[in-house]
Amino acid sequence: QVQLVESGGGLVQAGGSLRLSCAASGRTVSRCTMGWFRQAPGKEREFVAAISWSLNSNTYYSDSVKGRFTISRDNAENMVYLQMNNLRPEDTAVYYCATGFGTTSSYIRSSTAYDYWGQGTQVTVSS
């Protein structure tokens, strides 16, 4: 059974940083695509970042976080991380880790490419 557990969320001031962690079990993170999505109150869940399972480990980011967020994985620990720098109030949301087998850029950005999700971790950025 695949399980994803996020941690690392919290309250931070604008301009600050947080690192989210996603611990995976039941699936090897180096052999699947791992993604981060977020959902703010009253809004739909949106793509944030992903790292593919290709040999090149391609990374993908939404335009809103590109240059500020970095996705990475630790194959030995079977963990995925989201380093978030220069946080803004509009980054406030519940952040979800997800796993799937998407391979194309467009598909990886869609929630339909992922078959397992974590429970989410709250990130709140104050102005």
Side-chain angles (χ1 to χ4, degrees):
Q1 183 176 356
V2 178
Q3 288 190 324
L4 303 174
V5 179
E6 302 98 332
S7 61
L11 173 64
V12 64
Q13 289 188 333
S17 298
L18 283 173
R19 189 178 81 152
L20 304 183
S21 300
C22 174
S25 59
R27 183 170 290 176
T28 303
V29 299
S30 62
R31 298 181 181 179
C32 61
T33 293
M34 299 296 297
W36 287 95
F37 286 73
R38 67 186 182 187
Q39 187 166 19
K43 295 187 177 181
E44 294 186 354
R45 190 171 298 189
E46 66 173 357
F47 170 79
V48 175
I51 184 166
S52 73
W53 62 291
S54 66
L55 291 178
N56 292 331
S57 297
N58 293 327
T59 56
Y60 306 84
Y61 298 95
S62 68
D63 289 342
S64 62
V65 308
K66 192 177 299 182
R68 299 187 298 124
F69 292 10
T70 302
I71 188 171
S72 63
R73 64 183 172 208
D74 183 330
N75 294 339
E77 297 295 327
N78 214 40
M79 299 278 292
V80 175
Y81 303 98
L82 185 68
Q83 177 67 42
M84 306 186 296
N85 297 328
N86 192 21
L87 283 161
R88 304 167 179 169
E90 53 264 39
D91 294 318
T92 295
V94 177
Y95 283 70
Y96 298 90
C97 177
T99 178
F101 293 100
T103 55
T104 64
S105 176
S106 58
Y107 190 43
I108 282 173
R109 297 168 189 273
S110 169
S111 61
T112 60
Y114 302 87
D115 54 353
Y116 289 94
W117 296 78
Q119 82 289 349
T121 185
Q122 176 71 47
V123 171
T124 303
V125 184
S126 63
S127 57

